[in-house]
Amino acid sequence: SYELTQPPSVSVSPGQTASITCSGDKLGDRYASWYQQKPGQSPILVIYRDTKRPSGIPERFSGSNSGNTATLTIGATQAVDEADYYCQAWASSTAVFGGGTKLTV
Amino acid sequence: QVRLVESGGGVVQPGTSQRLSCAASGFSFSTYGMHWVRQAPGKGLEWVAVIAFDGSNKYHADSVKGRFTISRDNSKNTLYLQMNNLSPDDTAVYYCAKVLVDGDWVPFGSWGQGTLVTVSS
C-alpha cells in the first residue's frame, strides 16, 4: 500500500518561513493536498492540487510537489499557524494521509 | 454555506454494530463524492471510505474492508457508515467530508465536526 512520510515536528520562529515535507514513491506523479488541524477542531484544506489555495486561505501558504517530495511552505509564519499539518494523496482508489507534522511557532 | 453534521457516535461494546449518519446541507449533495475519515485519540487522520456522487462506486480502507460499509441517500441528503464487528481499534472521532470539486475523488474540501465512537466493554 502507498505510504506518505512526514517529520513528526517542525519548529519555526515568528515571521520566519516554515517548510513541511511529505515523501512518497513518485509522489510528484500524483496531486498532493495539505490540511491544517488545530486542537479540538476539524481539519481544513489549505493546499490542493500541489499548489492551489482554497478561498480564504492566506497567501502565505504555498505548496510544491516534485519527484518524491511535496512541500508545504508557510511564509512569515504567525502564532495562529501553530497546528498539526497532514499531507494527503490519492493512490489505487484510496486516500492516503501522512502521519502528520506538529508545527510549533 | 456547506454544513455537515455527523451523528450516531457513542460508547459501544466490542463485536457490536453501529451506524453513523452525516446530514448535509448548503450544497447540491447528489453531485459530490463523500468520504468518512477517522482519528483515534491523540493520533493522525486515517481515511475510511469514499462513495461516488450517485453511489455507483465505493472504496474502503483495508483496515475496515468487510466490516464497514459506506452508503448514501441522496433524497435525504445523508451519508452513512455502517460499522459491524467493532473492535477497540475502531475507537476514534469519525468525520464526514465532502470532496472539493464535483467529479473528483479528492481533496476533502469541507469537514463535519466529527462524532466520537468509543468501543469498550
Side-chain angles (χ1 to χ4, degrees), chain B residues 38-71:
Chain B
R38 68 184 181 182
Q39 186 170 36
K43 302 298 185 181
L45 301 172
E46 180 188 13
W47 175 75
V48 174
V50 62
I51 186 168
F53 69 98
D54 59 356
S56 60
N57 286 297
K58 310 175 185 181
Y59 302 105
H60 298 78
D62 287 345
S63 59
V64 305
K65 203 170 292 184
R67 298 187 302 122
F68 291 12
T69 302
I70 190 171
S71 64

Short mmCIF file of all heavy atoms in Angstrom, two decimals, chain B residues 38-71:
data_model
loop_
_atom_site.label_atom_id
_atom_site.label_comp_id
_atom_site.label_asym_id
_atom_site.label_seq_id
_atom_site.Cartn_x
_atom_site.Cartn_y
_atom_site.Cartn_z
N ARG B 38 -11.37 9.01 9.92
CA ARG B 38 -11.40 8.89 11.37
C ARG B 38 -10.06 9.29 11.99
O ARG B 38 -9.02 9.33 11.31
CB ARG B 38 -11.77 7.47 11.80
CG ARG B 38 -10.74 6.40 11.49
CD ARG B 38 -11.28 5.02 11.89
NE ARG B 38 -10.31 3.96 11.62
CZ ARG B 38 -10.55 2.68 11.85
NH1 ARG B 38 -11.74 2.28 12.35
NH2 ARG B 38 -9.63 1.77 11.59
N GLN B 39 -10.12 9.57 13.28
CA GLN B 39 -8.92 9.98 14.02
C GLN B 39 -8.99 9.41 15.42
O GLN B 39 -9.83 9.83 16.23
CB GLN B 39 -8.82 11.51 14.05
CG GLN B 39 -7.54 12.04 14.66
CD GLN B 39 -7.40 13.53 14.46
OE1 GLN B 39 -8.38 14.29 14.48
NE2 GLN B 39 -6.17 13.98 14.26
N ALA B 40 -8.15 8.44 15.70
CA ALA B 40 -8.07 7.87 17.03
C ALA B 40 -7.54 8.92 18.00
O ALA B 40 -6.82 9.84 17.59
CB ALA B 40 -7.17 6.64 17.02
N PRO B 41 -7.87 8.81 19.28
CA PRO B 41 -7.44 9.82 20.26
C PRO B 41 -5.93 10.03 20.24
O PRO B 41 -5.16 9.07 20.37
CB PRO B 41 -7.90 9.22 21.59
CG PRO B 41 -9.06 8.36 21.23
CD PRO B 41 -8.75 7.79 19.89
N GLY B 42 -5.51 11.26 20.01
CA GLY B 42 -4.10 11.60 20.01
C GLY B 42 -3.33 11.13 18.79
O GLY B 42 -2.09 11.24 18.77
N LYS B 43 -4.03 10.62 17.80
CA LYS B 43 -3.37 10.08 16.61
C LYS B 43 -3.69 10.91 15.37
O LYS B 43 -4.40 11.91 15.44
CB LYS B 43 -3.81 8.62 16.39
CG LYS B 43 -3.52 7.70 17.57
CD LYS B 43 -2.04 7.59 17.85
CE LYS B 43 -1.78 6.56 18.96
NZ LYS B 43 -0.32 6.47 19.28
N GLY B 44 -3.16 10.46 14.23
CA GLY B 44 -3.36 11.18 12.99
C GLY B 44 -4.64 10.79 12.28
O GLY B 44 -5.45 9.99 12.77
N LEU B 45 -4.82 11.38 11.10
CA LEU B 45 -6.00 11.13 10.30
C LEU B 45 -5.87 9.81 9.55
O LEU B 45 -4.80 9.48 9.04
CB LEU B 45 -6.21 12.26 9.29
CG LEU B 45 -6.38 13.66 9.88
CD1 LEU B 45 -6.38 14.70 8.76
CD2 LEU B 45 -7.63 13.75 10.71
N GLU B 46 -6.96 9.07 9.49
CA GLU B 46 -6.99 7.80 8.75
C GLU B 46 -8.23 7.79 7.86
O GLU B 46 -9.36 7.89 8.34
CB GLU B 46 -7.02 6.60 9.70
CG GLU B 46 -7.06 5.27 8.95
CD GLU B 46 -7.27 4.07 9.86
OE1 GLU B 46 -7.65 4.24 11.03
OE2 GLU B 46 -7.06 2.93 9.37
N TRP B 47 -8.02 7.66 6.58
CA TRP B 47 -9.14 7.57 5.65
C TRP B 47 -9.87 6.24 5.85
O TRP B 47 -9.26 5.20 6.05
CB TRP B 47 -8.61 7.68 4.21
CG TRP B 47 -9.66 7.50 3.18
CD1 TRP B 47 -10.63 8.39 2.81
CD2 TRP B 47 -9.86 6.33 2.37
NE1 TRP B 47 -11.41 7.84 1.82
CE2 TRP B 47 -10.96 6.59 1.53
CE3 TRP B 47 -9.22 5.10 2.28
CZ2 TRP B 47 -11.43 5.66 0.60
CZ3 TRP B 47 -9.68 4.17 1.36
CH2 TRP B 47 -10.77 4.45 0.54
N VAL B 48 -11.21 6.29 5.75
CA VAL B 48 -12.02 5.10 5.98
C VAL B 48 -12.71 4.62 4.70
O VAL B 48 -12.61 3.45 4.35
CB VAL B 48 -13.08 5.38 7.06
CG1 VAL B 48 -14.02 4.18 7.21
CG2 VAL B 48 -12.41 5.70 8.40
N ALA B 49 -13.41 5.54 4.02
CA ALA B 49 -14.17 5.11 2.86
C ALA B 49 -14.62 6.31 2.03
O ALA B 49 -14.68 7.43 2.54
CB ALA B 49 -15.40 4.30 3.29
N VAL B 50 -14.95 6.06 0.78
CA VAL B 50 -15.47 7.07 -0.13
C VAL B 50 -16.60 6.47 -0.95
O VAL B 50 -16.61 5.28 -1.23
CB VAL B 50 -14.36 7.62 -1.06
CG1 VAL B 50 -13.80 6.51 -1.94
CG2 VAL B 50 -14.87 8.78 -1.90
N ILE B 51 -17.54 7.33 -1.33
CA ILE B 51 -18.64 6.91 -2.19
C ILE B 51 -18.84 7.96 -3.26
O ILE B 51 -18.76 9.16 -2.99
CB ILE B 51 -19.93 6.68 -1.36
CG1 ILE B 51 -21.04 6.10 -2.24
CG2 ILE B 51 -20.39 7.97 -0.68
CD1 ILE B 51 -22.23 5.58 -1.43
N ALA B 52 -19.08 7.51 -4.48
CA ALA B 52 -19.31 8.42 -5.59
C ALA B 52 -20.61 9.19 -5.40
O ALA B 52 -21.47 8.81 -4.59
CB ALA B 52 -19.34 7.64 -6.89
N PHE B 53 -20.79 10.24 -6.17
CA PHE B 53 -21.94 11.12 -6.03
C PHE B 53 -23.27 10.38 -6.13
O PHE B 53 -24.23 10.71 -5.43
CB PHE B 53 -21.89 12.22 -7.09
CG PHE B 53 -22.11 11.74 -8.51
CD1 PHE B 53 -23.36 11.86 -9.10
CD2 PHE B 53 -21.08 11.16 -9.24
CE1 PHE B 53 -23.57 11.43 -10.40
CE2 PHE B 53 -21.28 10.72 -10.53
CZ PHE B 53 -22.54 10.85 -11.12
N ASP B 54 -23.29 9.34 -6.96
CA ASP B 54 -24.53 8.61 -7.18
C ASP B 54 -24.52 7.23 -6.51
O ASP B 54 -25.44 6.42 -6.74
CB ASP B 54 -24.79 8.44 -8.67
CG ASP B 54 -23.68 7.70 -9.38
OD1 ASP B 54 -22.67 7.37 -8.73
OD2 ASP B 54 -23.81 7.44 -10.59
N GLY B 55 -23.52 6.95 -5.72
CA GLY B 55 -23.43 5.67 -5.03
C GLY B 55 -22.95 4.53 -5.89
O GLY B 55 -22.90 3.39 -5.42
N SER B 56 -22.57 4.81 -7.12
CA SER B 56 -22.22 3.74 -8.05
C SER B 56 -20.87 3.10 -7.74
O SER B 56 -20.63 1.94 -8.11
CB SER B 56 -22.21 4.29 -9.49
OG SER B 56 -21.26 5.34 -9.61
N ASN B 57 -20.01 3.84 -7.12
CA ASN B 57 -18.69 3.31 -6.75
C ASN B 57 -18.39 3.61 -5.29
O ASN B 57 -18.70 4.71 -4.80
CB ASN B 57 -17.59 3.92 -7.62
CG ASN B 57 -17.61 3.35 -9.02
OD1 ASN B 57 -17.40 2.18 -9.25
ND2 ASN B 57 -17.88 4.21 -9.99
N LYS B 58 -17.81 2.63 -4.62
CA LYS B 58 -17.43 2.78 -3.21
C LYS B 58 -16.07 2.13 -3.01
O LYS B 58 -15.79 1.09 -3.61
CB LYS B 58 -18.43 2.06 -2.29
CG LYS B 58 -19.89 2.37 -2.52
CD LYS B 58 -20.77 1.50 -1.64
CE LYS B 58 -22.24 1.71 -1.94
NZ LYS B 58 -23.10 0.88 -1.06
N TYR B 59 -15.26 2.74 -2.18
CA TYR B 59 -13.97 2.16 -1.84
C TYR B 59 -13.79 2.26 -0.33
O TYR B 59 -14.16 3.27 0.27
CB TYR B 59 -12.84 2.88 -2.56
CG TYR B 59 -12.96 2.85 -4.06
CD1 TYR B 59 -13.37 3.98 -4.77
CD2 TYR B 59 -12.70 1.68 -4.77
CE1 TYR B 59 -13.50 3.95 -6.16
CE2 TYR B 59 -12.83 1.65 -6.16
CZ TYR B 59 -13.24 2.78 -6.84
OH TYR B 59 -13.37 2.74 -8.20
N HIS B 60 -13.20 1.23 0.26
CA HIS B 60 -12.98 1.19 1.69
C HIS B 60 -11.53 0.90 1.99
O HIS B 60 -10.85 0.19 1.25
CB HIS B 60 -13.86 0.11 2.33
CG HIS B 60 -15.33 0.32 2.18
ND1 HIS B 60 -16.00 0.04 1.00
CD2 HIS B 60 -16.26 0.81 3.04
CE1 HIS B 60 -17.28 0.34 1.15
NE2 HIS B 60 -17.47 0.81 2.37
N ALA B 61 -11.04 1.44 3.09
CA ALA B 61 -9.69 1.15 3.54
C ALA B 61 -9.59 -0.33 3.92
O ALA B 61 -10.56 -0.94 4.37
CB ALA B 61 -9.33 2.01 4.74
N ASP B 62 -8.39 -0.88 3.74
CA ASP B 62 -8.18 -2.29 4.07
C ASP B 62 -8.53 -2.58 5.54
O ASP B 62 -9.00 -3.66 5.86
CB ASP B 62 -6.73 -2.68 3.80
CG ASP B 62 -6.41 -2.79 2.32
OD1 ASP B 62 -7.38 -2.85 1.52
OD2 ASP B 62 -5.23 -2.81 1.97
N SER B 63 -8.28 -1.61 6.41
CA SER B 63 -8.50 -1.81 7.84
C SER B 63 -9.96 -2.01 8.20
O SER B 63 -10.27 -2.51 9.29
CB SER B 63 -7.92 -0.63 8.63
OG SER B 63 -8.53 0.57 8.23
N VAL B 64 -10.88 -1.61 7.31
CA VAL B 64 -12.31 -1.73 7.62
C VAL B 64 -13.04 -2.56 6.58
O VAL B 64 -14.25 -2.83 6.75
CB VAL B 64 -12.97 -0.34 7.72
CG1 VAL B 64 -12.24 0.52 8.74
CG2 VAL B 64 -13.06 0.35 6.37
N LYS B 65 -12.35 -2.98 5.54
CA LYS B 65 -13.00 -3.72 4.46
C LYS B 65 -13.63 -5.01 5.00
O LYS B 65 -13.03 -5.74 5.77
CB LYS B 65 -11.96 -4.05 3.38
CG LYS B 65 -12.55 -4.33 2.00
CD LYS B 65 -11.44 -4.41 0.96
CE LYS B 65 -10.80 -3.06 0.74
NZ LYS B 65 -9.78 -3.09 -0.33
N GLY B 66 -14.88 -5.22 4.60
CA GLY B 66 -15.62 -6.40 5.07
C GLY B 66 -16.36 -6.17 6.37
O GLY B 66 -17.21 -6.99 6.75
N ARG B 67 -16.06 -5.07 7.08
CA ARG B 67 -16.75 -4.76 8.33
C ARG B 67 -17.57 -3.47 8.22
O ARG B 67 -18.64 -3.36 8.82
CB ARG B 67 -15.75 -4.62 9.48
CG ARG B 67 -14.95 -5.85 9.78
CD ARG B 67 -14.10 -5.67 11.05
NE ARG B 67 -13.20 -4.54 10.96
CZ ARG B 67 -13.19 -3.51 11.82
NH1 ARG B 67 -14.04 -3.47 12.82
NH2 ARG B 67 -12.32 -2.52 11.66
N PHE B 68 -17.04 -2.48 7.52
CA PHE B 68 -17.71 -1.18 7.37
C PHE B 68 -18.25 -1.05 5.96
O PHE B 68 -17.63 -1.52 4.99
CB PHE B 68 -16.74 -0.04 7.63
CG PHE B 68 -16.28 0.11 9.05
CD1 PHE B 68 -16.49 -0.87 10.02
CD2 PHE B 68 -15.59 1.27 9.43
CE1 PHE B 68 -16.06 -0.71 11.31
CE2 PHE B 68 -15.15 1.44 10.74
CZ PHE B 68 -15.37 0.44 11.68
N THR B 69 -19.38 -0.35 5.84
CA THR B 69 -19.96 -0.08 4.52
C THR B 69 -20.44 1.36 4.45
O THR B 69 -21.24 1.79 5.30
CB THR B 69 -21.14 -1.01 4.21
OG1 THR B 69 -20.71 -2.38 4.29
CG2 THR B 69 -21.69 -0.74 2.82
N ILE B 70 -19.97 2.08 3.45
CA ILE B 70 -20.41 3.44 3.23
C ILE B 70 -21.62 3.41 2.29
O ILE B 70 -21.70 2.57 1.37
CB ILE B 70 -19.27 4.30 2.63
CG1 ILE B 70 -19.64 5.78 2.62
CG2 ILE B 70 -18.87 3.81 1.25
CD1 ILE B 70 -18.47 6.70 2.24
N SER B 71 -22.57 4.30 2.53
CA SER B 71 -23.74 4.41 1.66
C SER B 71 -24.27 5.83 1.74
O SER B 71 -23.82 6.63 2.57
CB SER B 71 -24.82 3.40 2.07
OG SER B 71 -25.31 3.68 3.36
#
